């Protein structure tokens, strides 16, 4: 027999889930389920009513149950309905619990989504700001590039103008050097004519009166034998050029270039570099006796220089010129060379000058080295590595007899014409002149 029931649904602000049985004011039993803000109420009819309704709706029944049997059956049926209701209630509890968990998960997911959206918005704002900053930086970089390009173009134009100026100056200097060489040759001819004339006069004087007459120009024959350019200068010769010198106490002649103009004149040129036409990678013997052309590039000779300076104090002056038309000099108030047995060791004192505040030539006294006579203080052979003969220390800060490099090829050259404390270790100079003069000149 199906017993009708009533179902009521309502929502309130109460929280939690519960189940309870009770009776209302009319005495009817009800079942109420509370889940969150919602409640579910079931009303069931009373047993007597069910029995009355049963009696009313089966009047034509052939056989009726006895009251006891009918009452017992209604109670049993009611019990079954209560059990079914309990089962439905438990099932509804499970459904509600599952719904609650789903709602919580959905809420959590919604919160997570909101957080992610906020983070995405923040990151999007930061990216936008970075894009703006990058745009400003790119604009500044472009402006700087334009500015640097303009400056670079201006520097290129200035460099081009300076190169043209240096080229013109070099051409002028080369022309002047050619004129100087020509004038030197003319002076040499004049000097030779003067010497020949003096010798002729001397011979005439000897023929006229070999014992009683002394020329006012030549007192003794050896007076025309100049041991250095200072002697020629003191004798009245003022022309810069090539002179014939005689080693002291010998009849050995040597051709030397005399500078009668620079710093008072009387300078005997020991070394000169100017155009690279002479090879300075020579042997010990060649550096001993001298080589080259006195009118151009040459080396006077270590032995002759030793003979000049061994008994008298000489001054050494080194004049230098770079490829930018700058000039400098180094001056030593005392200079002399030892003999060959001491490897022509150099001795210097009293440095001054404009080619560096420090001397690039050692004052301690180094031996002379060549490619076939290694006397330096390096395990290597500096004369072979750096080229030329020189007073190397351990390949040292100077070498005026290195390889000659022309303009544009004269930088980053370890084996060039080097004077470290003026132009650095890799700069090869354009021209150098080493010359000596008595300190009491």
């Amino acid at each position: 027999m199906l017993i009708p029931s009533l179902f009521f649904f309502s929502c309130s602000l109460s929280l939690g889930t519960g189940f309870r049985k009770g009776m209302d004011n009319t005495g009817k039993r009800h079942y109420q389920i509370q889940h969150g803000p919602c409640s579910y109420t079931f009303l069931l009819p009373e047993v007597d009513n069910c029995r009355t309704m049963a009696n009313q709706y089966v009047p034509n029944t052939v056989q009726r149950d006895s009251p006891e049997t009918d009452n017992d059956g209604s109670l049993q049926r009611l019990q079954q309905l209560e059990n079914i209701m309990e089962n439905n209630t438990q099932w509804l509890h499970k459904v509600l619990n599952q719904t609650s968990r789903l709602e919580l998960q959905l809420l959590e997911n919604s919160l997570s989504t909101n957080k992610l959206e906020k983070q995405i918005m923040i990151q999007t704002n930061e990216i936008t700001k970075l894009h703006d900053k990058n745009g400003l930086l790119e604009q500044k970089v472009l402006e700087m590039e334009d500015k640097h390009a303009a400056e670079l173009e201006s520097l290129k134009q200035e460099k081009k103008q300076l190169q043209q100026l240096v080229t013109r100056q070099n051409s002028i200097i080369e022309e002047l050097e050619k004129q100087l060489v020509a004038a030197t040759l003319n002076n040499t001819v004049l000097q030779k004519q003067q010497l020949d004339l003096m010798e002729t006069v001397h011979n005439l004087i000897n023929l006229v009166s070999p014992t009683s007459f002394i020329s006012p120009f030549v007192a003794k024959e050896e007076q025309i034998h100049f041991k250095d350019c200072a002697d020629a200068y003191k004798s009245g010769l003022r022309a810069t050029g090539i002179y014939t010198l005689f080693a002291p106490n010998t009849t050995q002649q040597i051709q030397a270039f005399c500078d009668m103009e620079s710093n008072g004149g009387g300078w005997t040129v020991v070394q000169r570099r100017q155009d690279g036409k002479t090879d300075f990678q020579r042997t010990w013997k060649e550096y001993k006796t001298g080589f080259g052309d006195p009118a151009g590039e040459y080396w006077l000779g270590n032995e002759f220089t030793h003979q000049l300076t061994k008994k008298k104090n000489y001054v050494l002056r080194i004049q230098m010129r770079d490829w930018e038309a700058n000039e400098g000099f180094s001056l030593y108030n005392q200079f002399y060379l030892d003999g060959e047995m001491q490897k022509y060791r150099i001795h210097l004192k009293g440095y001054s000058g404009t080619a560096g505040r420090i001397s690039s030539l050692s004052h301690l006294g180094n031996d002379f080295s060549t490619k076939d006579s290694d006397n330096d203080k390096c395990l290597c052979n500096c004369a072979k590595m750096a080229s030329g003969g020189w007073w190397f220390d351990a390949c040292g800060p100077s070498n005026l007899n290195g390889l000659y490099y022309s303009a544009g090829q004269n930088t980053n050259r370890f084996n060039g014409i080097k004077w470290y404390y003026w132009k650095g270790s890799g700069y090869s100079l354009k021209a150098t002149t080493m010359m000596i003069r008595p300190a009491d000149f």
Side-chain angles (χ1 to χ4, degrees), residues 296-413:
E297 295 188 331
Y298 85 110
W299 183 261
L300 181 64
N302 288 337
E303 184 60 32
F304 186 85
T305 304
H306 161 65
Q307 294 295 334
L308 280 181
T309 60
K310 70 177 181 178
K311 291 183 178 180
K312 190 174 183 178
N313 186 26
Y314 272 74
V315 174
L316 170 64
R317 181 182 177 90
I318 303 176
Q319 297 185 156
M320 291 163 274
R321 186 165 69 248
D322 63 16
W323 288 97
E324 291 73 39
N326 300 309
E327 294 188 354
F329 74 91
S330 293
L331 182 67
Y332 301 89
N333 294 330
Q334 182 175 342
F335 160 77
Y336 68 94
L337 293 183
D338 287 335
E340 186 175 15
M341 294 296 294
Q342 290 79 34
K343 308 298 182 184
Y344 296 118
R345 180 174 298 169
I346 190 171
H347 297 272
L348 299 167
K349 286 184 180 180
Y351 170 78
S352 62
T354 60
R357 292 180 296 177
I358 302 174
S359 171
S360 294
L361 195 58
S362 175
H363 287 71
L364 300 178
N366 292 315
D367 297 342
F368 198 82
S369 291
T370 59
K371 62 182 181 180
D372 58 341
S373 181
D374 183 13
N375 303 310
D376 57 50
K377 298 177 183 179
C378 181
L379 295 177
C380 61
N381 187 330
C382 295
K384 289 183 177 180
M385 290 182 57
S387 184
W390 193 251
W391 296 278
F392 296 105
D393 184 359
C395 297
S398 65
N399 177 19
L400 299 185
N401 292 332
L403 294 179
Y404 191 92
Y405 291 99
S406 58
Q409 300 177 346
N410 64 303
T411 56
N412 299 320
R413 301 293 183 179

Side-chain angles (χ1 to χ4, degrees), residues 126-139:
E126 292 178 352
I127 292 172
T128 303
K129 292 179 181 179
L130 289 176
H131 279 304
D132 294 339
K133 289 182 180 179
N134 288 338
L136 293 175
L137 290 175
E138 289 176 357
Q139 185 177 359

Side-chain angles (χ1 to χ4, degrees), residues 71-263:
N71 188 38
D72 291 340
S74 297
L75 291 174
Q76 185 177 3
R77 183 60 179 170
L78 181 60
Q79 188 66 41
Q80 290 176 354
L81 290 173
E82 289 179 354
N83 292 335
I84 292 171
M85 184 61 68
E86 286 287 340
N87 293 335
N88 291 337
T89 302
Q90 292 178 2
W91 176 81
L92 185 58
H93 271 294
K94 292 180 181 179
V95 171
L96 294 174
N97 290 334
Q98 186 67 25
T99 303
S100 299
R101 285 196 296 271
L102 292 175
E103 289 176 351
L104 290 174
Q105 291 180 359
L106 182 61
L107 182 60
E108 292 174 355
N109 292 337
S110 177
L111 293 175
S112 300
T113 302
N114 291 335
K115 290 181 180 179
L116 289 174
E117 288 177 352
K118 290 181 180 179
Q119 292 178 355
I120 291 172
M121 290 180 63
I122 293 172
Q123 292 177 355
T124 302
N125 292 332
E126 292 178 352
I127 292 172
T128 303
K129 292 179 181 179
L130 289 176
H131 279 304
D132 294 339
K133 289 182 180 179
N134 288 338
L136 293 175
L137 290 175
E138 289 176 357
Q139 185 177 359
K140 289 183 180 179
V141 169
L142 291 175
E143 292 175 355
M144 293 178 66
E145 287 179 351
D146 294 338
K147 182 179 178 181
H148 290 165
E151 292 177 352
L152 181 61
E153 185 63 26
S154 176
L155 290 174
K156 286 182 178 179
Q157 294 297 329
E158 291 180 3
K159 180 181 178 182
K160 185 177 179 180
Q161 294 174 0
L162 290 174
Q163 287 177 342
Q164 293 174 352
L165 178 61
V166 169
T167 302
R168 289 197 298 269
Q169 290 178 345
N170 287 336
S171 300
I172 295 172
I173 291 172
E174 289 176 358
E175 183 64 26
L176 291 175
E177 287 177 346
K178 291 179 181 179
Q179 295 177 7
L180 177 61
V181 171
T184 299
L185 294 176
N186 293 333
N187 288 334
T188 302
V189 174
L190 292 174
Q191 178 195 355
K192 187 175 185 305
Q193 292 176 354
Q194 185 179 10
L195 291 175
D196 292 340
L197 180 61
M198 292 177 67
E199 185 175 358
T200 301
V201 172
H202 176 68
N203 290 334
L204 290 173
I205 291 172
N206 288 338
L207 289 174
V208 174
S209 178
T211 57
S212 61
F213 181 77
I214 299 177
S215 169
F217 300 102
V218 181
K220 294 182 180 179
E221 182 178 355
E222 53 266 23
Q223 280 186 304
I224 63 173
H225 292 174
F226 305 125
K227 70 177 184 295
D228 60 16
C229 296
D231 278 353
Y233 187 93
K234 290 178 180 179
S235 71
L237 300 177
R238 298 292 187 270
T240 294
I242 301 172
Y243 285 74
T244 300
L245 304 180
F246 292 83
N249 302 321
T250 68
T251 59
Q252 177 188 0
Q253 299 182 15
I254 190 168
Q255 297 291 307
F257 190 89
C258 294
D259 185 341
M260 300 301 194
E261 300 173 2
S262 300
N263 300 100

